Amino acid sequence: MGSGPLLGPVAAQLDTIEDFIVDARGSVRLPLVDVAAQWAEFLGWLYTSTGDAGQARRWFDRAGEWAAEAGNATMTATALSFKGHLAFLLGQLRAAAGLSRAAARVPDAWLGQRAYDAHQEARALAVMGHAAAVRRLAEAAEMAAAVEEHRGETPPWIYYYTAPFYRLERGWVYRLLGRDDERLNAEAIAHLSAGLAGLGDARQSEWAAEYIYHLAFALFQAGEAGQACASADEATAIARRTGSARLLARLRGLQRHMRARWPRDADVAALGDRLR
């Protein structure tokens, strides 16, 4: 259903929880604050997804405050991590890398969170053209491989940090590294395709469409017009159904690149019609 329709209900839940916290005391307070941090993190994500960076940052800050009070190390790291993701979306790449490193350094945070943060840092480094991106990506892959041994400790708010999800993150980084390297771009296509195949019904979600877009971009970089259009079509359908204006804008940008490269391709023209 997309992020937009959830903003009102989630904000209403948080209003109620905040009222409880004002008067909470004794043994019930810290568990309640811990729950509040999880709701705040979710609302921050919804605002990120709908393009309200100011509100997103506000709720990630609140999630971090409540996590610190509750002594929840993994939520503390998650809040920092999402602020890093927000910075990445805003083009603030040094902040994205720095916040990702900070999240990965939080003592006692779950290994799966640190594995994600290593991928996110590698992504920011890749956009900036840093050679360190490849090394950080290798470290991220090692941590992701070790996560399965700690699967029973998965916090409920990051249930989706699974093996397919880490492959999607790896594919995104390889897509960026593969702009001028056919071998790395082929790695991107392989990881993104495998990760998406492992999502099941979650492939139809708004957040999964982000990775379908990156698969389409990697296929474009590989010169595969038909396959790139097919993936872009899949992402377009999800973006329209979930009302994701941000993703539709990115898909339109990709289609313009396609049109410049393949001006007479019928699939590219048809994709442009569906995106208008």
Side-chain angles (χ1 to χ4, degrees):
M1 67 187 298
S3 301
L6 291 174
L7 283 170
V10 173
Q13 292 279 15
L14 260 170
D15 283 345
T16 301
I17 292 170
E18 284 190 282
D19 288 342
F20 288 157
I21 287 175
V22 169
D23 295 320
R25 65 197 63 181
S27 62
V28 75
R29 180 172 177 82
L30 292 186
L32 182 60
V33 169
D34 190 56
V35 170
Q38 296 176 44
W39 279 93
E41 176 266 330
F42 184 42
L43 186 56
W45 158 248
L46 294 175
Y47 276 121
T48 299
S49 185
T50 52
D52 191 334
Q55 285 285 13
R57 191 175 289 109
R58 172 195 172 196
W59 285 107
F60 290 145
D61 284 342
R62 185 68 61 83
E65 291 171 11
W66 281 331
E69 182 179 352
N72 191 325
T74 302
M75 177 53 79
T76 298
T78 301
L80 284 170
S81 177
F82 268 120
K83 289 184 74 173
H85 178 64
L86 179 61
F88 182 88
L89 294 179
L90 295 173
Q92 299 165 1
L93 299 175
R94 291 177 180 82
L99 287 165
S100 300
R101 280 194 299 273
R105 288 196 302 264
V106 173
D108 299 323
W110 180 56
L111 176 63
Q113 180 64 57
R114 299 203 305 273
Y116 173 79
D117 292 322
H119 282 94
Q120 183 166 266
E121 182 185 353
R123 188 199 319 150
L125 293 171
V127 177
M128 290 188 286
H130 283 247
V134 175
R135 183 183 70 251
R136 192 60 171 144
L137 184 58
E139 294 169 353
E142 288 181 9
M143 282 189 277
V147 166
E148 293 309 311
E149 300 175 17
H150 303 266
R151 181 55 60 191
E153 305 167 20
T154 307
W157 62 90
I158 41 179
Y159 62 91
Y160 54 91
Y161 281 11
T162 60
F165 178 77
Y166 290 125
R167 291 203 73 174
L168 291 172
E169 280 294 310
R170 208 166 306 138
W172 187 352
V173 180
Y174 275 124
R175 200 277 288 175
L176 296 167
L177 293 171
R179 288 168 294 191
D180 303 306
D181 188 317
E182 291 183 7
R183 181 182 60 84
L184 295 179
N185 194 62
E187 288 281 343
I189 294 170
H191 283 293
L192 288 165
S193 298
L196 287 166
L199 288 185
D201 291 342
R203 182 170 179 146
Q204 297 302 311
S205 66
E206 181 182 14
W207 65 263
E210 176 82 27
Y211 298 98
I212 300 172
Y213 160 82
H214 289 297
L215 175 58
F217 209 113
L219 290 163
F220 162 73
Q221 290 178 164
E224 300 289 347
Q227 294 180 58
C229 285
S231 290
D233 271 331
E234 182 182 1
T236 298
I238 297 170
R240 286 211 178 281
R241 189 183 70 247
T242 59
S244 179
R246 183 180 66 84
L247 184 56
L248 283 170
R250 301 189 75 185
L251 286 160
R252 291 185 182 111
L254 173 57
Q255 195 273 340
R256 286 193 292 272
H257 287 303
M258 291 180 176
R259 189 178 61 209
R261 186 172 186 177
W262 302 302
R264 295 183 177 84
D265 189 282
D267 290 336
V268 173
L271 174 63
D273 291 338
R274 284 187 286 276
L275 281 166
R276 274 197 287 276

